[in-house]
Amino acid sequence: MGSEHSDAVSADTTAMALKILVAGGFGVGKTTLVGAVSEIRPLRTEELLSEVGQSVDDTEGVDRKTTTTVAMDFGRITIRSGLALYLFGTPGQDRFWFLWDELSQGALGAVVLADTRRLEDCFPAVDYFEHRQIPFVVAVNCFANARTYGAQEVSRALDLDRGTPVVLCDARDRDSGKEVLIRLVEYAGRFHTARLLDSVG
């Protein structure tokens, strides 16, 4: 019994846990993505939209949205044995941006969710991560009633740095979301390795 317990403890302590942010504009699907991929019941900090909030939040294009994230969403997914990702969904509105600096501390990288109907809404997140040199991928959430654009078209429209991955996804689908996270981990690994080599070169 004692050895089984110590084996379980050592297995837990040797597992690698990486922090990932899920960012993007208001109503783009951040809470949906975290909920779809999380293997635990996700922690959500959603509140009903109020009439007061509607005067400062741009709800055009997401008229049916009734709630908003006011702090963060949290979930966890195991990518493979010994590698778990902790997901932190950021609030989408400008008035909650003071939380971003806290949430980005120690993050491996970020997923910037984009909606091609409101592509300009993800510019602030792209700028935020570019200026802080936090690696990110842009995941285009393919809504049913939105025109489909290719990855290169989205990359040009957002004026992304060369090499920044753009992937198409369905935030409601676990496998699709997992693929986005795998692409981010791979890209962030290359990004951080290159920076390390530059610093010792």
Side-chain angles (χ1 to χ4, degrees):
M1 175 91 178
S3 65
E4 287 175 11
H5 177 71
S6 62
D7 287 345
V9 170
S10 64
D12 286 343
T13 55
T14 55
M16 181 183 293
L18 302 173
K19 181 180 183 181
I20 302 293
L21 300 185
V22 180
F26 178 64
V28 77
K30 299 179 296 294
T31 298
T32 301
L33 177 66
V34 172
V37 301
S38 181
E39 61 201 17
I40 60 171
R41 184 177 178 185
L43 167 68
R44 293 183 170 144
T45 57
E46 288 195 307
E47 295 292 340
L48 289 172
L49 287 171
S50 66
E51 288 183 26
V52 174
Q54 286 176 351
S55 66
V56 290
D57 296 330
D58 179 12
T59 57
E60 186 178 345
V62 285
D63 308 348
R64 290 185 295 178
K65 186 170 171 62
T66 58
T67 60
T68 184
T69 299
V70 295
M72 66 172 184
D73 298 311
F74 174 77
R76 184 189 73 211
I77 180 173
T78 301
I79 295 294
R80 59 172 170 74
S81 178
L83 176 60
L85 302 182
Y86 289 100
L87 308 175
F88 292 82
T90 64
Q93 305 98 306
D94 296 353
R95 59 197 168 109
F96 295 121
W97 269 43
F98 65 92
L99 293 168
W100 281 47
D101 288 335
E102 290 292 327
L103 290 174
S104 64
Q105 291 288 326
L108 174 78
V111 173
V112 176
L113 267 179
D115 177 352
T116 56
R117 299 168 303 178
R118 295 161 49 109
L119 201 55
E120 68 280 0
D121 288 2
C122 70
F123 273 114
V126 167
D127 289 343
Y128 182 91
F129 297 123
E130 283 183 346
H131 284 110
R132 286 159 181 80
Q133 295 191 313
I134 297 172
F136 65 94
V137 301
V138 173
V140 180
N141 192 7
C142 298
F143 288 90
N145 57 343
R147 181 180 160 192
T148 302
Y149 293 88
Q152 288 189 332
E153 290 177 283
V154 173
S155 182
R156 281 195 300 271
L158 293 174
D159 193 26
L160 297 176
D161 289 343
R162 185 175 176 154
T164 302
V166 176
V167 294
L168 307 182
C169 75
D170 180 344
R172 302 165 300 179
D173 182 75
R174 178 180 171 83
D175 289 338
S176 181
K178 189 173 179 178
E179 280 302 312
V180 170
L181 296 172
I182 290 170
R183 283 287 299 276
L184 172 62
V185 171
E186 291 172 347
Y187 174 63
R190 294 193 303 271
F191 181 95
H192 289 299
T193 299
R195 283 185 64 185
L196 182 63
L197 291 173
D198 285 345
S199 68
V200 298

